Amino acid sequence: MTDISTSTQTTSSAQSTLHPLDPLSADEITTTIQIIRKERNLNEHVRFVSVNLHEPPKEVVLKFTSGNPINREAFVVLLDNSDGATYEAVVSVTKEQVVSWHHVPGVQPPIMLDEFFECEQVLKSDPAFQEALRKRGITNFDLLMVDPWSAGHYGGEEESIYRLSRALTWVRTDPNDNGYAHPVEGLIAYVDLNKMKVLRIEDNGVVPLPPEHGNYTPKAVGQMRTDLKTIDIVQPDGPSFTVNGYEVQWQKWRFRVGFTTREGLVLHTVSYEDQGRQRPILYRAALGEMVVPYGDPTITHNRKNAFDIGEYGVGALANSLELGCDCLGSIHYFDAVMTDSRGNLMKIPNAVCMHEEDYGILWKHIDWRTNQTEVRRSRRLVISFIATVGNYEYGYFWYLYQDGTIQFEIKLTGIMNTGAVPPGVKPKYGQLVAPQLNAPVHQHAFNVRLDMMVDGLNNSVYEVNTVAEPMGPENPHGNAFYAESTLLKHELEAQREIEPRTARYWKVVNPSSLNGLGEPVAYKIMPGENTFPFAHPESPVMKRAAFASKHLWVTPYDRRERYPAGEYPNQHPGGAGLPTWTRANRSIENTDVVVWYTLISHHIPRPEDWPVMPAGYIGFMLKPVGFFDRNPALDVPATMSNHHSCEH
Ligand SMILES: [Cu+2]
């Protein structure tokens, strides 16, 4: 962060393993790859899709105390390009041996970053592809941008035979131009990613390239505004958090930072200290899946839907935050380390940013009779990372607040996906954002996996609806309403939707931990902005993204149930993950529960979203409800400002 004077970087994450949940270190990844290569005698056709920590069982983690021996294991996914076979391996780094190795039939692992480049390269030099581009007046193939869109599953034969990309193309006017302003409409390239061979080029007819540039650099913008004065975030005493390896302590909060190639940032063992007791809230929290179904039925766009977690992996696509000014203040960065598909170490320095933010007023009251004033400023701890998935940027932010609130927020920015329309055409399923440039309507559906641990592992989930009392003798003025809690006992009755008309929320309760008022302690899931999916329930995308058909799912904890659309959504026909697991209708009462919350960002594009989108926000909160006996932030001291106390 050499380019911002107001930011200071504290020491980067320690590499030595201190805890069973620490992400694999560079050495551990290298060792894992060496062990597999040696034991399995791999040839050059076998690719490393991902190497991540094989998280130990909960009992091991929860019983762990510093200094205990740790058995470090890696979970590895491999793809053999010669026959398309997928393998999963567990490798003990500690014992230096492959613990398990098995073939997973009929699946496609995520599209690897290396395949992005290779797919683009092979198409640029393909004669049929070149011919289709020449028809459009494009002759400089170096300026092409080919995005390897996942093929989905639409019942075609080639989907079951090949590792398939349905690649779409844009073209720059010069090497630094924003190519997304110039979509090559109607041209779809089918590529076998195993053989890295073009299967066929589908040309649905020439549509002229939109003529205007969509550049947004200072050079392209020209005159910049000149009335912006410096704003400094100054923390002369440093940050209020301490970091030990991947463990973070911030005021009363304690948690561990994790990172996977698929999910990116993971929060582990989040707890809050209350009267000398460290009280657990979450065992693990991470974004489990996301999908972007597009609403345009025309040929180039009707199969656009990207499962950015399961089909690509947002951890592997994480930004290095040293390339910019993403965070301000006293920052602690965590690096991410992973492997490329050939087994070479790939390091993302500063992948996770952690810093504090002033967040307005925490609480206030003036006793207007005596003028006694008490006001406290709120501060939040921000733990975030940003992933660039093709044209879009997604910022994933966790916030911890002093009153026990946890918030998850996604910031959507970057460049919208685009298509071209002929001059004079006004698209029905999109918005013209520049002449002849169509930004199709779409949604971004996210599902967050919350492995809850409210004061312990055994929790129950209630739905809370507010009910208006009918008018009658007990409600003569019609003003009465009350909150009604309903226990969700089994999985099928816990597949729920938002309902603003009853101010619906859900709460995760520990029935055997009572607060000072004699009621079971709880955390509630408070929906924020949200909506429903618009793709038909029987559409190929919704069959695969069934998780998005409900806003709430609850399952009893099973170590193997990790991702809401299943382990391998790429080219999957659908039904995997939550819809399959919950068919058993297992009991979810007073047991170790996992809550899955879906939030859908509805994107009807605006001209103002072009050429690069001002960040859109969507999220939700976890708030204590009777977890504490009263406002837990009374002990936050008043702020010293300009060397004067604000206290009167
Ligand atoms: Cu969008």
Side-chain angles (χ1 to χ4, degrees):
M1 304 293 287
T2 48
D3 48 353
I4 3 172
S5 56
T6 57
S7 291
T8 49
Q9 185 182 339
T10 62
T11 48
S12 196
S13 29
Q15 288 302 305
S16 64
T17 302
L18 299 168
H19 190 274
L21 290 175
D22 287 351
L24 294 179
S25 68
D27 284 351
E28 288 175 318
I29 291 173
T30 306
T31 307
T32 299
I33 289 166
Q34 283 167 353
I35 294 167
I36 290 196
R37 280 202 168 128
K38 200 174 100 205
E39 278 199 36
R40 302 302 308 184
N41 197 22
L42 302 182
N43 63 36
E44 76 278 12
H45 298 297
V46 181
R47 297 218 195 191
F48 292 87
V49 178
S50 57
V51 179
N52 284 296
L53 174 72
H54 186 233
E55 288 178 24
K58 278 191 188 179
E59 311 84 78
V60 173
V61 171
L62 295 175
K63 278 186 195 147
F64 179 80
T65 52
S66 182
N68 285 8
I70 306 173
N71 180 29
R72 296 284 283 173
E73 290 185 339
F75 179 76
V76 186
V77 178
L78 304 102
L79 172 68
D80 188 339
N81 282 149
S82 63
D83 59 2
T86 300
Y87 297 92
E88 287 179 355
V90 174
V91 175
S92 170
V93 184
T94 312
K95 296 174 189 151
E96 296 193 15
Q97 65 186 49
V98 177
V99 176
S100 73
W101 173 275
H102 72 274
H103 172 224
V104 191
V107 302
Q108 287 296 346
I111 297 175
M112 295 167 261
L113 194 53
D114 289 342
E115 291 175 312
F116 278 59
F117 299 110
E118 293 165 22
C119 176
E120 181 170 276
Q121 227 35 60
V122 77
L123 277 166
K124 280 181 177 177
S125 51
D126 181 74
F129 191 62
Q130 291 182 348
E131 188 48 41
L133 289 159
R134 275 193 207 97
K135 270 193 215 160
R136 291 161 166 84
I138 301 163
T139 50
N140 185 350
F141 307 124
D142 290 339
L143 296 173
L144 297 178
M145 299 180 359
V146 184
D147 285 353
W149 280 74
S150 52
H153 194 287
Y154 292 82
E157 196 190 9
E158 56 194 359
E159 290 161 3
S160 50
I161 301 174
Y162 299 110
R163 176 169 174 78
L164 199 63
S165 172
R166 192 173 169 277
L168 300 174
T169 304
W170 287 261
V171 59
R172 304 181 195 265
T173 54
D174 66 71
N176 293 316
D177 178 52
N178 170 15
Y180 292 113
H182 315 291
V184 181
E185 188 71 25
L187 183 64
I188 303 160
Y190 290 81
V191 179
D192 173 359
L193 298 177
N194 272 323
K195 298 279 175 283
M196 214 39 90
K197 221 179 82 187
V198 181
L199 293 168
R200 64 192 168 91
I201 302 296
E202 185 185 298
D203 192 341
N204 299 288
V206 174
V207 177
L209 290 175
E212 280 190 6
H213 84 74
N215 294 319
Y216 47 83
T217 57
K219 198 174 148 218
V221 172
Q223 180 64 46
M224 306 298 276
R225 60 183 73 180
T226 55
D227 50 358
L228 204 58
K229 304 283 193 284
T230 303
I231 186 164
D232 279 344
I233 308 300
V234 182
Q235 295 180 267
D237 310 322
S240 303
F241 53 74
T242 55
V243 182
N244 177 20
Y246 291 92
E247 186 187 32
V248 180
Q249 183 176 354
W250 181 66
Q251 301 178 69
K252 302 192 171 192
W253 290 99
R254 273 183 185 68
F255 63 95
R256 307 194 67 86
V257 169
F259 197 90
T260 72
T261 53
R262 184 158 172 159
E263 306 151 290
L265 175 63
V266 179
L267 296 188
H268 294 288
T269 56
V270 181
S271 66
Y272 190 99
E273 192 223 299
D274 178 25
Q275 297 167 53
R277 267 194 313 148
Q278 202 63 40
R279 300 177 62 190
I281 299 160
L282 282 162
Y283 180 79
R284 190 186 196 278
L287 183 68
E289 190 53 88
M290 64 163 291
V291 57
V292 189
Y294 282 80
D296 184 337
T298 61
I299 190 83
T300 318
H301 308 282
N302 63 15
R303 285 172 56 167
K304 269 186 185 170
N305 49 83
F307 289 66
D308 288 343
I309 308 265
E311 291 183 335
Y312 299 99
V314 289
L317 300 175
N319 294 176
S320 178
L321 298 175
E322 66 186 4
L323 299 171
C325 310
D326 303 276
C327 308
L328 283 181
S330 289
I331 302 164
H332 183 93
Y333 290 108
F334 296 90
D335 300 338
V337 56
M338 54 196 78
T339 168
D340 71 8
S341 75
R342 302 295 179 195
N344 305 306
L345 272 187
M346 207 175 83
K347 200 168 175 183
I348 304 178
N350 300 5
V352 172
C353 162
M354 182 171 73
H355 70 291
E356 293 171 286
E357 282 178 359
D358 178 272
Y359 199 63
I361 290 172
L362 172 61
W363 56 262
K364 175 175 186 172
H365 184 61
I366 297 178
D367 184 324
W368 52 269
R369 290 184 175 83
T370 64
N371 269 345
Q372 185 190 331
T373 303
E374 296 288 345
V375 59
R376 303 292 183 271
R377 287 202 71 79
S378 175
R379 199 185 298 191
R380 64 183 185 184
L381 184 67
V382 186
I383 315 110
S384 67
F385 82 106
I386 300 173
T388 302
V389 189
N391 49 297
Y392 256 109
E393 259 77 9
Y394 296 96
Y396 300 105
F397 289 71
W398 288 96
Y399 304 110
L400 302 179
Y401 294 86
Q402 291 159 308
D403 67 347
T405 300
I406 301 168
Q407 184 182 2
F408 182 62
E409 184 172 72
I410 302 150
K411 299 185 187 181
L412 303 100
T413 179
I415 303 173
M416 289 184 298
N417 212 264
T418 52
V421 288
V425 169
K426 194 172 162 356
K428 176 178 176 184
Y429 306 100
Q431 169 68 42
L432 279 183
V433 292
Q436 296 160 241
L437 187 66
N438 175 26
V441 296
H442 59 277
Q443 298 186 304
H444 306 254
F446 305 89
N447 184 277
V448 183
R449 181 180 181 277
L450 301 162
D451 186 348
M452 302 300 299
M453 192 180 172
V454 177
D455 253 359
L457 289 174
N458 287 350
N459 293 164
S460 296
V461 181
Y462 287 80
E463 176 168 299
V464 183
N465 291 289
T466 295
V467 182
E469 189 79 56
M471 275 180 102
E474 294 200 359
N475 183 25
H477 301 297
N479 63 309
F481 63 90
Y482 60 97
E484 186 176 66
S485 295
T486 309
L487 175 66
L488 306 173
K489 291 182 181 168
H490 294 92
E491 287 177 297
L492 291 178
E493 63 195 90
Q495 296 173 359
R496 305 297 298 161
E497 293 174 345
I498 51 163
E499 180 48 279
R501 280 167 297 197
T502 66
R504 180 175 293 170
Y505 62 86
W506 299 279
K507 62 180 181 183
V508 182
V509 168
N510 185 328
S512 46
S513 177
L514 304 183
N515 63 22
L517 299 163
E519 290 174 343
V521 302
Y523 255 78
K524 68 173 169 179
I525 295 155
M526 281 177 64
E529 181 187 318
N530 209 338
T531 186
F532 295 84
F534 278 77
H536 193 279
E538 291 302 314
S539 63
V541 59
M542 281 309 291
K543 282 189 194 160
R544 303 171 61 227
F547 70 85
S549 66
K550 300 289 174 190
H551 298 104
L552 184 90
W553 303 71
V554 185
T555 56
Y557 174 76
D558 182 326
R559 195 184 178 194
R560 295 163 299 181
E561 297 177 359
R562 306 197 293 172
Y563 309 114
E567 289 278 325
Y568 296 99
N570 192 12
Q571 291 176 245
H572 195 282
L578 285 169
T580 300
W581 307 327
T582 54
R583 225 177 280 145
N585 203 20
R586 297 165 292 185
S587 169
I588 47 169
E589 189 180 352
N590 197 12
T591 188
D592 188 0
V593 294
V594 179
V595 172
W596 312 72
Y597 179 67
T598 300
L599 55 166
I600 302 176
S601 167
H602 194 70
H603 197 171
I604 308 295
R606 309 173 299 155
E608 291 87 345
D609 292 337
W610 185 256
V612 61
M613 248 179 85
Y617 299 77
I618 189 165
F620 69 97
M621 289 196 199
L622 289 167
K623 255 184 186 300
V625 271
F627 186 79
F628 303 105
D629 294 342
R630 60 212 313 243
N631 181 349
L634 295 181
D635 61 347
V636 172
T639 309
M640 301 288 283
S641 177
N642 297 327
H643 312 291
H644 297 293
S645 171
C646 291
E647 213 170 3
H648 294 283

